[in-house]
Amino acid sequence: DIQMTQSPSTLSASVGDSVTITCRASQDIVTWLAWYQQRPGKAPKLLIYKASVLEGGVPSRFSGSGSGTEFTLTISSLQPDDFATYYCQQYNGYPYTFGQGTKLEIK
Amino acid sequence: EVQLVESGGGLVQSGGSLRLSCLASGFPFSHYSLNWFRQAPGKGLEWVSSISNTGTSTYYADSVRGRFSISRDNAKNSLYLEMSSLGVDDTAVYFCAREITYWGQGNLVAVSS
């Protein structure tokens, strides 16, 4: 199975800051990587797929990059709505696997 | 508008069975593969099972293989997850999803010992 290692597990930031979350795959997944945002009690929301493609309706302050085994999610100019938990997921093959999640908190 | 609505969850005793359903609308159901994911209370996301658009190919996480069965009825725009030999570790909110893009709101399955 492909292991996804996401860091940090918790991130404290202020409105207006830029933050970066990293996800590392245990083997090459090309660009078969998705990023989700999840708010408490809600379903995950797809933000980015194929490592860098922004899902429709997602604000442009979200961006993804990377290929192979190293990936990043960057959120620029944080808004109050952005404080949530973020997950990476590889869908290169089964079993699909997720990172452990990053909880983005207000400083 | 794409919608996925899960149902069938609830409280069940350890060793019991349950069938989850997911009713889809707003897209050509038979064109897409579908997934079940789950999230234990306070924990991260876990992929459970997938089924191809025709239903001919199915895939399972090791943790559920042999106990869970995924199926679909393209005439009814419905996805199913038959769960048996349930254990407390299966307690989670279960989400159906169209590929990785659209997710349902989730349905709680609670297994008591």
Side-chain angles (χ1 to χ4, degrees):
Chain A
D1 297 1
I2 299 173
Q3 308 304 316
M4 304 301 293
T5 304
Q6 188 176 336
S7 61
S9 55
T10 306
L11 188 52
S12 294
S14 301
V15 172
D17 287 352
S18 288
V19 297
T20 296
I21 299 169
T22 297
C23 191
R24 180 175 292 113
S26 62
Q27 63 190 73
D28 186 353
I29 58 168
V30 196
T31 57
W32 300 110
L33 191 283
W35 289 98
Y36 298 90
Q37 177 192 68
Q38 188 179 31
R39 297 193 175 95
K42 299 295 186 183
K45 173 188 174 183
L46 179 67
L47 299 174
I48 288 168
Y49 62 97
K50 282 204 76 177
S52 62
V53 181
L54 202 64
E55 174 68 355
V58 175
S60 58
R61 62 181 180 272
F62 292 90
S63 63
S65 65
S67 65
T69 61
E70 297 280 339
F71 302 89
T72 60
L73 171 70
T74 298
I75 313 171
S76 60
S77 188
L78 279 168
Q79 299 301 300
D81 260 359
D82 299 338
F83 293 92
T85 299
Y86 294 84
Y87 293 93
C88 63
Q89 179 212 356
Q90 69 80 19
Y91 55 106
N92 181 68
Y94 296 110
Y96 292 167
T97 46
F98 290 86
Q100 305 94 314
T102 295
K103 185 174 184 180
L104 178 55
E105 299 178 329
I106 299 177
K107 188 183 289 184
Chain B
E1 180 194 4
V2 172
Q3 285 198 319
L4 297 154
V5 180
E6 302 94 342
S7 60
L11 179 63
V12 62
Q13 284 196 324
S14 181
S17 300
L18 214 53
R19 186 200 203 202
L20 298 182
S21 299
C22 173
L23 180 62
S25 60
F27 64 96
F29 186 78
S30 64
H31 289 197
Y32 291 89
S33 63
L34 301 165
N35 298 300
W36 286 102
F37 297 95
R38 68 183 180 183
Q39 187 169 37
K43 303 296 185 184
L45 297 165
E46 179 186 16
W47 169 79
V48 174
S49 183
S50 297
I51 188 166
S52 62
N53 65 316
T54 60
T56 53
S57 298
T58 58
Y59 308 88
Y60 297 94
D62 287 346
S63 58
V64 307
R65 186 175 290 111
R67 301 187 298 121
F68 288 15
S69 178
I70 190 171
S71 62
R72 65 190 293 164
D73 185 335
N74 285 348
K76 294 182 178 180
N77 282 11
S78 292
L79 171 70
Y80 306 101
L81 186 68
E82 294 273 4
M83 305 183 292
S84 63
S85 302
L86 285 162
V88 294
D89 288 349
D90 295 314
T91 294
V93 174
Y94 285 72
F95 299 96
C96 62
R98 189 192 90 174
E99 296 181 336
I100 63 165
T101 312
Y102 293 98
W103 293 49
Q105 83 288 353
N107 201 217
L108 176 63
V109 172
V111 184
S112 67
S113 55

